Amino acid sequence: MADFTKQVKSILSQNGCYFVRYGKGDHEVWHSPTLGKNFAIDGKIRKKTSANAYLKAAGVQQKI
């Protein structure tokens, strides 16, 4: 099964998002300067649709 976690984190960083803290379980909380809010991503992103949903939640137009 594919792992999109590194790709998503890389794209988020390239778009100015940054890690804030660890959340519950294996989730991480990131901040989006575009939207001015925090959002959570899973520590193990296995599906391409989930990866794109996290990018959309961050206000990033790029898709995997």
Side-chain angles (χ1 to χ4, degrees):
M1 193 172 265
D3 187 11
F4 295 100
T5 309
K6 287 183 183 179
Q7 267 184 297
V8 170
K9 288 181 180 182
S10 174
I11 293 170
L12 290 174
S13 295
Q14 290 170 5
N15 285 280
C17 297
Y18 56 90
F19 174 81
V20 176
R21 63 179 171 85
Y22 290 103
K24 291 186 176 184
D26 65 345
H27 285 75
E28 296 179 356
V29 178
W30 285 64
H31 180 79
S32 171
T34 306
L35 301 176
K37 66 178 186 175
N38 292 342
F39 60 95
I41 64 168
D42 195 356
K44 295 177 185 169
I45 304 169
R46 303 278 187 201
K47 295 181 182 179
K48 192 173 185 178
T49 55
S50 297
N52 288 327
Y54 289 126
L55 294 174
K56 185 177 180 180
V60 175
Q61 300 297 323
Q62 187 175 347
K63 292 188 183 238
I64 294 177

